[in-house]
């Protein structure tokens, strides 16, 4: 199991003793990278800084580990404002695996594993980005965006109209709706807002020709039929 950004051990751990897992998300410059035996200066310095912070906490009589609930609530808010788990990890200097575990933290009162105080402080110290222009958009699964775009197509909204309102190419709309597995989180949030604004409205009242709406509905019906015919 990969070590996380909060587990900063000795900076001189031999690589043979702590082999980096094949799918490790730890990168150079993170404290835990040195735990795998990395000898880069940036990784060794990060591990030393993490160790000094823990020593300072002990000297002040502070627990080195704290409940994760406050950090988890803040991480959820960051995600709601357009930051992915990878964005949060990059800003906090932590492993994305650790951030994903924090995001899965149950509500207050449930018995959960504590996290390092330095980890909680790093997450809580990230400022909220602007909803429409997140600092690092990141990527997210396209399932929700695909469903919302298909919903708008069934309601008679042509892909060209949606693309114009989203500021993207019509081909991007088709790819997100039909086959693209991931998309930028900022675009996913804009698709969610667009669906909320248009789904209950008549396309004709927005200048969409009835024939164009009919073609959009017919194409959506064909896609639904084709999808249903695929083997389970």
């Amino acid at each position: 199991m990969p070590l996380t950004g909060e587990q900063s051990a000795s900076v001189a751990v031999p690589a043979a003793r702590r082999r980096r897992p094949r799918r490790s998300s730890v990168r150079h410059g993170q404290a835990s990278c040195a735990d795998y035996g990395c000898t880069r200066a940036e990784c060794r310095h990060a591990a030393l800084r993490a160790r000094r912070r823990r020593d300072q906490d002990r000297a002040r009589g502070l627990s080195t580990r704290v409940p994760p609930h406050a950090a988890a609530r803040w991480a959820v808010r960051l995600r709601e404002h357009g930051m992915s788990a990878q964005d949060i990890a990059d800003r906090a200097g932590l492993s994305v695996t650790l951030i994903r575990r924090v995001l899965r933290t149950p509500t207050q009162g449930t018995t959960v594993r504590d996290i390092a105080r330095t980890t909680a402080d790093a997450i809580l110290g990230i400022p909220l980005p602007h909803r429409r222009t997140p600092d690092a958009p990141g990527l997210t699964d396209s399932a929700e965006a695909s469903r919302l775009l298909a919903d708008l197509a069934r309601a008679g909204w042509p892909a060209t109209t949606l693309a114009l309102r989203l500021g993207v190419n019509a081909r991007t709309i088709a790819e997100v709706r039909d086959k693209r597995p991931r998309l930028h989180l900022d675009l996913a949030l804009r698709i969610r807002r667009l669906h909320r604004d248009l789904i209950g409205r008549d396309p004709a009242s927005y200048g969409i020709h009835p024939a164009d709406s009919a073609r959009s509905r017919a194409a959506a019906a064909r896609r639904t039929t084709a999808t249903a015919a695929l083997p389970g």
Side-chain angles (χ1 to χ4, degrees):
M1 179 178 179
L3 295 179
T4 59
E6 62 182 344
Q7 296 168 299
S8 302
S10 169
V11 295
V13 178
R17 286 175 50 196
R18 291 185 181 275
R19 180 174 299 174
R20 186 190 299 271
R22 182 177 301 174
R23 299 182 63 184
S24 170
S25 299
V26 174
R27 297 176 308 285
H28 293 301
Q30 295 181 341
S32 50
C33 190
D35 295 342
Y36 290 121
C38 181
T39 58
R40 285 195 181 193
E42 58 187 309
C43 304
R44 292 169 60 87
H45 291 162
L48 285 171
R49 287 194 299 270
R51 187 168 62 188
R52 289 194 191 105
R53 286 195 297 267
R54 290 198 302 272
D55 292 343
Q56 290 169 357
D57 285 345
R58 292 192 189 97
R60 293 162 57 194
L62 299 174
S63 171
T64 59
R65 301 186 70 80
V66 297
H69 301 100
R73 288 193 294 270
W74 189 248
V76 169
R77 286 197 65 189
L78 291 171
R79 186 173 60 183
E80 290 172 347
H81 278 70
M83 295 183 72
S84 67
Q86 186 65 68
D87 298 331
I88 298 171
D90 289 341
R91 295 291 297 274
L94 302 169
S95 161
V96 69
T97 304
L98 173 58
I99 296 300
R100 287 171 180 153
R101 176 163 67 83
V102 171
L103 285 166
R104 292 194 299 268
T105 299
T107 57
Q108 180 78 36
T110 306
T111 302
V112 293
R113 291 167 55 189
D114 288 346
I115 59 175
R117 179 182 293 277
T118 52
T119 294
D121 290 344
I123 295 172
L124 292 168
I126 300 174
L128 285 176
H130 193 282
R131 282 184 181 272
R132 296 183 181 272
T133 55
D135 292 341
L139 295 173
T140 188
D141 184 83
S142 66
E144 181 191 29
S146 174
R147 176 178 58 79
L148 296 179
L149 290 174
D151 200 17
L152 288 169
R154 287 191 294 271
W157 290 95
T160 51
T161 300
L162 301 178
L164 183 63
R165 287 179 168 270
L166 291 169
V168 299
N169 190 283
R171 179 174 296 179
T172 299
I173 297 296
E175 290 179 350
V176 171
R177 185 190 60 216
D178 300 332
K179 63 182 181 180
R180 183 179 294 186
R182 293 171 69 78
L183 75 160
H184 281 287
L185 187 54
D186 182 50
L187 177 56
L189 294 173
R190 285 188 283 134
I191 290 172
R192 185 186 300 172
R193 288 193 292 268
L194 184 65
H195 179 273
R196 183 187 60 217
D197 293 341
L198 297 182
I199 192 57
R201 302 182 184 275
D202 181 7
S205 64
Y206 284 76
I208 308 301
H209 195 281
D212 293 333
S213 290
R215 280 193 291 270
S216 177
R217 294 188 182 97
R222 287 195 298 271
R223 286 191 296 271
T224 300
T225 302
T227 300
L230 292 174

